Amino acid sequence: MFSVTRLFRFLACLPLPLMQRLGRALGWVVWGLSPTYRHNFKANVQAAGVAWRDARPAIAAMGAMVAELPWVWMRPHSAVLDGLVQWDGAEHFEAAMQAGKGVIIMSPHLGSWEIGAQAIAEKFGPLHGPMVVLFRPARKAWLEPLVANARTRPYLDSAPTSLAGVRTLMRTLRHGGYTAILPDQVPPQGQGVWAPFFGREVYTMTLLFKLAQQTGAQVIMTWCERLPTDQGFCMHMRPFDAPEMRDVSVSPEVAAAAMNRGVEAMVRHAPGQYLWGYARSKQPRAES
């Protein structure tokens, strides 16, 4: 564990563009070595009706995302993202916060979502306070100190993935705070419903839209686009005003389908940076 931490600290000292270049090569190595990954990737792209030429860059992008993690997780807290991230639509977030609504960042496995979370906390934290997110401890013991360091950065607070954590999010939103949720992550059994997503029925979380319905928080579609090497990132933010996010009378299945359509819209903006290899249609696990 100690040696892995030291390795990540060393890699975090290397220039980020260099790590991204190495990562793109890594993405193609994984593609060549893993038949399961290739199968999931191709099947998901085909089901979504996305042209192969548009999805193919995601093979290298997956490797770049992985190679960014040492820098994202282990760089000194003094190494801020200012100047590395451009902003497109931040006024939508600011308007919702100034209205006292609270904000739910709906950010799928698209682009560099880890950098996106830190960028949001750094930009808006000084004025609006910390972003509160649910955090499940790493399943692998050697990952724990690495992930924990990423979750304790300035203006980024974590709550446990439990009923107590959900209550913390409710209080945060009702008091005009903000959180971020990965809407395309397969939830544990009993915490989701089956709903269409890119041509397939997938087990879809209910947490995001239930929080929006019960608190009146504004949902903001957000994705962190990875720009060409040496150009940094661009954070895109758009309000998601689907009526199902506010109407408590609709069924969970209807609300989940609406949420999935929002995720699809984001992915179609940058299909070459989506995590197509993720087994989105897998069966949910039993909660431990």
Side-chain angles (χ1 to χ4, degrees):
M1 180 176 66
F2 180 65
S3 60
V4 172
T5 301
R6 288 205 311 177
L7 173 62
F8 265 60
R9 290 194 184 280
F10 167 74
L11 294 175
C13 296
L14 299 179
L16 183 60
L18 171 62
M19 293 299 294
Q20 290 175 325
R21 291 189 184 96
L22 294 174
R24 290 187 176 95
L26 172 65
W28 280 104
V29 170
V30 174
W31 174 266
L33 295 178
S34 176
T36 301
Y37 173 65
R38 290 198 303 273
H39 171 78
N40 288 339
F41 189 109
K42 291 178 178 179
N44 288 336
V45 170
Q46 184 176 16
V50 173
W52 177 249
R53 67 178 179 276
D54 295 328
R56 185 176 182 273
I59 298 170
M62 184 279 291
M65 182 274 296
V66 172
E68 289 164 357
L69 291 179
W71 187 86
V72 175
W73 287 352
M74 306 301 288
R75 75 186 190 284
H77 288 185
S78 58
V80 297
L81 296 170
D82 185 39
L84 189 65
V85 179
Q86 304 172 30
W87 292 86
D88 167 38
E91 67 273 12
H92 301 299
F93 179 94
E94 290 283 13
M97 294 297 290
Q98 290 171 8
K101 291 183 175 181
V103 168
I104 300 172
I105 300 294
M106 183 168 79
S107 179
H109 292 92
L110 179 64
S112 184
W113 58 92
E114 288 279 353
I115 283 181
Q118 293 185 10
I120 291 170
E122 285 186 14
K123 180 175 179 64
F124 300 112
L127 179 61
H128 299 294
M131 179 167 70
V132 181
V133 296
L134 293 182
F135 170 57
R136 182 188 300 277
R139 290 196 177 97
K140 303 292 186 181
W142 61 270
L143 269 175
E144 181 59 33
L146 307 177
V147 178
N149 188 69
R151 297 297 184 265
T152 56
R153 301 193 72 85
Y155 301 110
L156 190 59
D157 288 351
S158 61
T161 52
S162 63
L163 183 57
V166 173
R167 287 172 176 160
T168 296
L169 292 189
M170 294 280 286
R171 287 194 299 271
T172 297
L173 295 171
R174 284 174 173 159
H175 285 85
Y178 58 113
T179 186
I181 297 176
L182 284 163
D184 57 341
Q185 186 162 304
V186 179
Q189 183 68 46
Q191 298 180 25
V193 294
W194 293 93
F197 178 66
F198 276 136
R200 293 179 172 182
E201 290 289 314
V202 301
Y203 198 64
T204 303
M205 70 162 57
T206 59
L207 174 64
L208 189 149
F209 61 78
K210 284 184 176 179
L211 286 172
Q213 291 170 348
Q214 294 176 29
T215 67
Q218 173 68 56
V219 179
I220 302 286
M221 299 189 298
T222 304
W223 68 101
C224 183
E225 179 186 3
R226 183 181 297 101
L227 300 177
T229 302
D230 295 332
Q231 296 183 32
F233 304 86
C234 182
M235 288 291 300
H236 302 277
M237 308 184 91
R238 300 288 185 273
F240 184 53
D241 292 324
E244 294 86 350
M245 297 298 100
R246 304 200 179 280
D247 188 353
V248 296
S249 68
V250 302
S251 70
E253 289 78 10
V254 169
M259 183 180 72
N260 283 348
R261 288 193 295 272
V263 175
E264 290 174 359
M266 286 187 276
V267 173
R268 292 191 189 282
H269 277 281
Q273 295 194 22
Y274 189 56
L275 196 65
W276 292 108
Y278 180 51
R280 184 65 184 88
S281 58
K282 67 182 178 181
Q283 291 293 317
R285 71 183 186 280
E287 182 67 295
S288 58

